[in-house]
Amino acid sequence: MKIGRLNHIGVATPDIEAAKATWAALYGADKATPVKDFPHLGVKVCFIDTGNTEIELIEPLGEGSPIRKFLENNPKGGQHHVCFEVDDIIAARDAMRDRGATVLGSGEPYIGAHGVPVIFVHPKDTHGVLVELMQKPEGAH
Ligand code: CO
């Protein structure tokens, strides 16, 4: 298993509309999706197209949000994870385990905000970087 293209950089924020406006005003990164609620994932998400990748802005939604703790530690928000595409998410999950890494949660891939299966690898395995692996979307380059 070898990771592919960097799909996006995840950024947690307490105020997704403010963050979206900042990326547009400060960097001209104004090609963004509308903010969408994902109640079953506990997040609100917006993707900003930056040409060769995307910034995924994430605001907590609901008490059980998986990014609530991150924002307690980083109240103004911050860079949360990096996401790489893989050809086969099950093979990638199995490879992570074989290589001694910890896949978060049950380890079963679930449908993320992009509509394709994802897993997360514990940051302790990558020197503090939370890594998301995503099944390469159909038709992606
Ligand atoms: Co992500």
Side-chain angles (χ1 to χ4, degrees):
M1 198 291 293
K2 191 173 181 178
I3 55 172
R5 174 179 173 268
L6 174 68
N7 183 279
H8 63 266
I9 298 163
V11 175
T13 173
D15 185 341
I16 196 165
E17 292 291 356
K20 184 180 176 179
T22 295
W23 281 90
L26 197 56
Y27 301 103
D30 56 2
K31 200 173 158 197
T33 65
V35 175
K36 193 172 167 194
D37 290 1
F38 293 90
H40 63 293
L41 299 176
V43 290
K44 297 179 177 197
V45 174
C46 161
F47 293 102
I48 303 171
D49 184 346
T50 59
N52 64 341
T53 192
E54 291 179 335
I55 303 291
E56 177 187 43
L57 298 176
I58 318 159
E59 182 187 310
L61 180 63
E63 286 310 307
S65 176
I67 60 161
R68 210 163 267 296
K69 184 145 185 82
F70 180 88
L71 282 173
E72 277 170 22
N73 296 329
N74 306 272
K76 292 180 176 173
Q79 197 261 307
H80 180 260
H81 66 269
V82 291
C83 177
F84 293 94
E85 296 174 359
V86 296
D87 288 333
D88 181 334
I89 193 71
I90 298 293
R93 188 272 314 273
D94 293 345
M96 288 301 98
R97 288 177 168 166
D98 289 348
R99 296 172 191 179
T102 299
V103 178
L104 297 185
S106 69
E108 285 312 303
Y110 62 92
I111 304 296
H114 277 87
V116 294
V118 300
I119 60 170
F120 282 86
V121 180
H122 197 291
K124 73 180 164 81
D125 296 316
T126 319
H127 306 267
V129 179
L130 176 60
V131 175
E132 179 180 14
L133 297 178
M134 162 199 273
Q135 175 81 47
K136 189 176 176 178
E138 290 294 325
H141 39 96

